[in-house]
Amino acid sequence: MIDIERISEKAHRLVVIAEFQQADAERLVDFAKERNQAGGGGNLLIDVTAVSGFTFAAVAIELAHMPSLIRWVYGLDRIAILSDDDWVRTGSRLESALLPGVVYEVYDEDEADAARAWVLEEADAPHMGALHELDIGKPAIAAYELSGRLDREESERGVAMVRKRLVDAACRKLLLVIRSWHGFDLDRLLSRDVLAGKLDIARKLERYAIVGGPRWLRRYAEFTSAFVKAEIKAFELEQMDEAIAWLDS
């Protein structure tokens, strides 16, 4: 089932629920043609958090009307994809990277408010800041919480925040709490500011505690401790007090 709703003068919300069938594809094609006749443009929020699958008949309809659909998509100003499926988010990012002129911003289910705000043009940036400083009452520990996606801009901002704290010679310990992380953009790896900043941080740190986040990330962080001066230790999210105690010891 598909539902299309106008949410502002220039924005629509498209929601796919359960199975995407032939009738849904026909409704989508009709809507695309209507928008093309109206001059195109505008913003679109696509919510596929409740989709369960699609029929081959629906795919056939889309393929038969691909020129109209492509013309509509290429004419849009802002496109936000809201999904809790990794393959949908990954596919959207790849398509955005491979198709010139088409830019998708991809959001996880718990980022629905940010996606809607961007499509409604209530926010200039597509994603809210992912990294926030925490006050744990211990000046010797620089503490931060990560929730969201790390793109290049946010990575550079985060590295700059940590470096600023480490200017104080008495602050040589770092706590990172990962509550809801949605990955990172690959172009952050090309940032000179991020690379130089991480090297500077690594030279100054004595201890680094990572709390929460995916298991592979915690294991990787502990593995890298063999190559840097700082001691690195990972903790489960519910072990935050233990992490602080370890840093403070």
Side-chain angles (χ1 to χ4, degrees):
M1 175 182 145
I2 188 172
D3 181 61
I4 302 174
E5 170 193 12
R6 179 184 288 273
I7 56 176
S8 78
E9 184 63 29
K10 61 177 298 187
H12 289 81
R13 177 172 176 258
L14 188 156
V15 184
V16 181
I17 303 171
E19 189 175 57
F20 186 70
Q21 301 180 348
Q22 180 177 340
D24 301 320
E26 292 171 348
R27 174 70 185 95
L28 178 61
V29 169
D30 289 343
F31 176 71
K33 290 179 177 179
E34 290 172 7
R35 296 307 303 159
N36 288 337
Q37 291 175 358
N43 305 327
L44 180 67
L45 171 61
I46 304 174
D47 186 341
V48 289
T49 56
V51 67
S52 61
F54 54 87
T55 65
F56 288 110
V59 175
I61 292 294
E62 288 190 333
L63 291 174
H65 296 86
M66 192 57 66
S68 294
L69 292 171
I70 290 178
R71 180 186 170 193
W72 169 53
V73 170
Y74 268 67
L76 291 168
D77 300 314
R78 296 185 177 188
I79 308 172
I81 309 289
L82 186 62
S83 174
D84 55 0
D85 287 327
D86 289 338
W87 71 269
V88 172
R89 294 197 299 269
T90 301
S92 298
R93 292 188 179 103
L94 286 174
E95 187 173 347
S96 179
L98 294 174
L99 294 181
V102 179
V103 179
Y104 299 143
E105 293 297 337
V106 186
Y107 300 82
D108 201 53
E109 187 174 9
D110 60 2
E111 298 179 292
D113 290 342
R116 187 180 180 92
W118 188 64
V119 166
L120 291 175
E121 299 187 9
E122 297 173 350
D124 295 329
H127 295 275
M128 300 176 183
L131 200 65
H132 306 278
E133 189 165 6
L134 295 175
D135 182 5
I136 61 173
K138 295 184 179 294
I141 301 175
Y144 300 89
E145 178 177 300
L146 174 61
S147 180
R149 184 172 182 83
L150 283 176
D151 56 18
R152 181 168 182 160
E153 182 179 355
E154 186 64 10
S155 297
E156 292 174 349
R157 187 182 74 88
V159 167
M161 288 171 60
V162 176
R163 293 182 73 181
K164 186 176 180 180
R165 280 296 312 275
L166 297 184
V167 168
D168 181 359
C171 183
R172 288 294 180 263
K173 298 174 182 180
L174 176 63
L175 170 68
L176 179 62
V177 181
I178 305 175
R179 295 198 180 276
S180 179
W181 183 48
H182 305 307
F184 60 87
D185 292 347
L186 291 177
D187 68 343
R188 70 187 287 272
L189 302 176
L190 304 177
S191 170
R192 292 183 179 180
D193 290 342
V194 171
L195 179 58
K198 290 176 72 174
L199 290 174
D200 180 54
I201 291 170
R203 285 193 295 265
K204 292 179 178 178
L205 278 184
E206 296 175 359
R207 283 192 173 186
Y208 177 22
I210 297 178
V211 178
R215 181 171 296 180
W216 69 263
L217 179 64
R218 298 198 301 271
R219 288 180 175 175
Y220 173 75
E222 291 183 327
F223 169 75
T224 60
S225 64
F227 306 99
V228 296
K229 180 183 71 174
E231 295 180 70
I232 302 177
K233 191 171 181 180
F235 299 82
E236 298 289 347
L237 197 56
E238 60 271 15
Q239 296 177 306
M240 183 169 170
D241 289 343
E242 295 177 32
I244 295 175
W246 176 73
L247 287 171
D248 205 28
S249 62

